[in-house]
Amino acid sequence: MKLAQMLPVSTTWVLDNAASVLTALIVLLVGWYLAGFLRQRLASMLYGTPRIDNTIVPLVSDLLKYSILALTFVIVLGQFGVQTASILAVIGAVGLAIALALQGTLSNMAAGILLLWLRPFNAGDAIDAEGISGSVLEIGLFGTRLRTYDGIAVYASNARLWNAKIINYSREPRRMVEVTIGIGLRSSIAEARE
């Protein structure tokens, strides 16, 4: 088909569907603006919250942004007569395939979110997690960086830390220490106490 033959058809289609095209453009622009605006507002609100770790703020705010953008694109495609149920089914199937392919990575990410949310340890704490011990430098989304007591850098996966028994040596400010001191039979107990 030549360009001269296609041009009248496309202009006729545009004139017949001008309301749908205009509505789709408005929805697209509003959705795009709203996604960016709400992402910024959520990020600034979460950065000011003391119980939320700053590591997780970009993840949560980007998740909100891309969810709004995906919903906007589904609404825009619905304006042109595309069946939204089939789009959602395809998105669900792709999401399932990605989740199965990234199962180990997603378990590390879920464990990282739980570590940041429940806070069994913070950056700077001295911990021992069944063989992984040291001072916590950074709690990331996929792994945690530690420095062992002899100065070696360790990067441990969050899933391994989450499934381990964590002993936090820095959490409590006071500890009880019991020390047994032996005294000879001929020694004076009073002198030993002094």
Side-chain angles (χ1 to χ4, degrees), residues 32-145:
W32 196 273
Y33 172 77
L34 195 63
F37 176 74
L38 289 178
R39 182 199 177 279
Q40 286 295 100
R41 295 289 297 165
L42 181 66
S44 64
M45 183 180 74
L46 290 178
Y47 277 127
T49 306
R51 293 255 325 137
I52 303 292
D53 198 295
N54 289 345
T55 309
I56 203 167
V57 172
L59 173 75
V60 172
S61 57
D62 283 345
L63 185 65
L64 176 69
K65 175 185 175 183
Y66 292 124
S67 298
I68 292 172
L69 287 177
L71 181 65
T72 301
F73 287 126
V74 169
I75 292 171
V76 166
L77 289 175
Q79 285 294 317
F80 293 113
V82 177
Q83 295 295 325
T84 55
S86 61
I87 293 172
L88 293 176
V90 168
I91 289 173
V94 168
L96 180 64
I98 290 172
L100 289 174
L102 299 174
Q103 188 174 8
T105 305
L106 290 177
S107 70
N108 278 329
M109 188 169 70
I113 291 171
L114 288 172
L115 286 173
L116 290 170
W117 187 268
L118 297 176
R119 295 181 182 267
F121 54 84
N122 295 319
D125 286 355
I127 66 165
D128 184 4
E130 295 180 359
I132 303 169
S133 59
S135 178
V136 177
L137 299 176
E138 176 188 15
I139 306 167
L141 196 56
F142 298 103
T144 299
R145 286 189 320 120

Side-chain angles (χ1 to χ4, degrees), residues 141-192:
L141 196 56
F142 298 103
T144 299
R145 286 189 320 120
L146 296 105
R147 179 179 296 120
T148 61
Y149 304 116
D150 52 351
I152 298 172
V154 175
Y155 188 79
S157 69
N158 285 336
R160 184 168 175 203
L161 286 173
W162 181 250
N163 291 323
K165 179 180 81 170
I166 299 170
I167 300 171
N168 190 339
Y169 296 109
S170 303
R171 178 66 51 98
E172 298 299 324
R174 297 185 314 169
R175 292 192 200 144
M176 184 180 89
V177 178
E178 185 175 318
V179 178
T180 304
I181 300 174
I183 299 176
L185 293 174
R186 295 187 179 158
S187 300
S188 169
I189 294 177
E191 288 180 12

